[in-house]
């Protein structure tokens, strides 16, 4: 309760400065970003994977030097790191009002990363090639793990691609709204889809990464959303495998140096797969409870 002597509460103005709002409204045209008639819209899986593997091809040499102390040199960790680096450059350019958030700014970032990656290959190319020759079986296994995870969740999304929860709505409508706001924005912070004239007061960099892929592929946000979920799931699975594999490899080297208990080489792969099982499949036991409950209900009925 306020007394006569107390000042009224001050409300923070969350509206965007008029100069920034003018840039946002006169900037990106929706039809310039989305092309529903292009080949990418006809073959979204192919376009999505083509852009992803192009980014990873550019950034993997950087990751293999950054994670050179790991037994697998962070081959699967290069996936999230590559997207992070590819999105950070256009984000910082748009945040500082140096360049608008467009396909051109994203390509500029990829060119800069490609130049740095090329420099890394010149200085560390023999080291990287030697590793790939020695561990090619591990690299193939890593690719298979990523592909299986991506296809697994893609099939689940294809079974019900609706972005609206049948009962409650859930977070998907909110996430899709924020994704549309980021895609539509020219500078950062992006447009708030719920408050006209305002900027998003929420963590949005994950949406920004997907928006970069949307601008590179010209896919509709709804399609990209259903492809982004399997992508992030596959990167999570890949990171879990890499974590379990490298921790076990490091432990094995320490034990061998001390002439202690020896862990077989296949044990590292087993530990990586166990990490995938516990993080990517069994992490949320609510699904198992629902399965048992529904099965029991049907059998009892």
């Amino acid at each position: 309760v306020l007394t006569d002597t107390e000042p009224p509460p001050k409300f923070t103005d969350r509206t965007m400065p008029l100069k920034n709002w003018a840039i946002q409204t006169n900037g990106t045209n929706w039809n310039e970003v989305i092309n529903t008639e292009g080949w990418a819209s006809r073959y979204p899986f192919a376009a999505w994977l083509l852009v992803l593997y192009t980014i990873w091809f550019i950034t993997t040499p950087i990751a293999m030097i950054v994670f050179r102390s790991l037994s697998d040199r962070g081959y699967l960790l290069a996936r999230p790191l590559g997207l992070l680096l590819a999105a950070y450059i256009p984000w910082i350019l748009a945040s500082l009002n140096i360049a608008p958030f467009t396909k051109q700014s994203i390509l500029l970032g990829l060119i800069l990363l490609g130049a740095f990656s090329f420099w890394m290959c010149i200085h560390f190319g023999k080291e990287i090639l030697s590793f790939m020759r020695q561990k090619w079986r591990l690299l193939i296994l890593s690719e298979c793990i990523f592909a299986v995870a991506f296809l697994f969740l893609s099939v689940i999304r294809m079974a019900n691609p609706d972005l609206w929860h049948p009962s409650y709505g859930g977070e998907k409508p909110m996430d899709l709204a924020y994704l549309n706001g980021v895609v539509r924005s020219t500078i950062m912070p992006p447009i708030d889809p719920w408050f006209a004239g305002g900027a998003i007061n929420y963590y949005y960099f994950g949406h920004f990464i997907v928006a970069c892929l949307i601008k590179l592929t010209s896919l509709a946000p709804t399609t990209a959303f259903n492809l982004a979920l399997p992508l992030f799931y596959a990167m999570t699975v890949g990171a879990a495998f890499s974590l379990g594999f490298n921790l076990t490899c490091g432990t094995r080297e320490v034990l061998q140096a001390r002439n202690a208990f020896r862990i077989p080489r296949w044990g590292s792969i087993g530990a990586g797969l166990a990490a995938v099982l516990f993080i990517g499949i069994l992490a949320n036991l609510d699904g198992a409870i629902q399965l048992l409950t529904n099965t029991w209900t049907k059998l009892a009925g």
Side-chain angles (χ1 to χ4, degrees), residues 30-54:
W30 192 260
N31 293 327
E32 296 175 357
V33 179
I34 309 303
N35 183 9
T36 58
E37 303 297 330
W39 74 272
S41 296
R42 295 195 297 270
Y43 309 102
F45 270 98
W48 190 257
L49 292 176
L50 177 61
V51 169
L52 286 175
Y53 275 95
T54 300

Side-chain angles (χ1 to χ4, degrees), residues 192-251:
D192 189 338
W194 307 111
F195 178 42
I200 288 182
N201 182 29
Y202 192 74
Y203 44 88
Y204 64 87
F205 193 73
H207 303 85
F208 187 87
I209 292 175
V210 179
C212 289
L213 297 176
I214 288 175
K215 294 202 173 188
L216 289 174
T217 59
S218 298
L219 289 173
T222 49
T223 303
F225 192 102
N226 278 315
L227 290 171
L229 293 179
L231 169 62
F232 285 109
Y233 175 75
M235 289 194 298
T236 301
V237 167
F241 175 81
S242 181
L243 179 63
F245 177 84
N246 287 297
L247 285 175
T248 310
C249 286
T251 304

Side-chain angles (χ1 to χ4, degrees), residues 19-225:
K19 178 182 178 181
N20 291 355
W21 182 247
I23 295 174
Q24 297 283 34
T25 55
N26 297 323
T28 303
N29 187 301
W30 192 260
N31 293 327
E32 296 175 357
V33 179
I34 309 303
N35 183 9
T36 58
E37 303 297 330
W39 74 272
S41 296
R42 295 195 297 270
Y43 309 102
F45 270 98
W48 190 257
L49 292 176
L50 177 61
V51 169
L52 286 175
Y53 275 95
T54 300
I55 294 174
W56 293 333
F57 177 78
I58 294 172
T59 56
T60 294
I62 301 174
M64 295 183 78
I65 299 302
V66 171
F67 300 113
R68 66 193 306 183
S69 61
L70 300 180
S71 298
D72 66 349
R73 285 185 174 262
Y75 183 74
L76 286 175
L77 297 178
R79 307 295 165 87
L81 178 63
L83 289 179
L84 176 64
L85 293 175
Y88 183 77
I89 295 176
W91 177 80
I92 198 68
L93 293 176
S95 297
L96 298 177
N97 289 350
I98 297 175
F101 177 40
T102 61
K103 181 184 292 186
Q104 288 72 24
S105 66
I106 303 171
L107 292 175
L108 174 62
L110 291 177
I111 291 173
L112 294 176
L113 287 174
F116 182 64
S117 183
F118 181 73
W119 180 86
M120 298 281 276
C121 288
I122 292 176
H123 289 269
F124 303 100
K126 293 182 179 179
E127 181 181 333
I128 295 174
L129 289 176
S130 176
F131 166 79
M132 296 181 71
R133 292 193 190 99
Q134 294 175 9
K135 300 296 182 71
W136 62 270
R137 293 183 180 86
L138 175 62
L139 300 185
I140 292 177
L141 175 63
S142 300
E143 285 290 348
C144 291
I145 291 172
F146 181 87
V148 169
F150 183 81
L151 292 175
F152 170 70
L153 206 69
S154 295
V155 171
I156 293 178
R157 293 305 307 155
M158 284 189 286
N160 183 20
D162 193 356
L163 298 179
W164 181 266
H165 191 283
S167 300
Y168 306 107
E171 291 189 4
K172 289 186 177 64
M174 179 199 73
D175 282 329
L176 184 60
Y178 281 135
L179 179 60
N180 283 326
V182 176
V183 172
R184 177 64 180 81
S185 298
T186 305
I187 58 176
M188 299 295 121
I191 297 171
D192 189 338
W194 307 111
F195 178 42
I200 288 182
N201 182 29
Y202 192 74
Y203 44 88
Y204 64 87
F205 193 73
H207 303 85
F208 187 87
I209 292 175
V210 179
C212 289
L213 297 176
I214 288 175
K215 294 202 173 188
L216 289 174
T217 59
S218 298
L219 289 173
T222 49
T223 303
F225 192 102

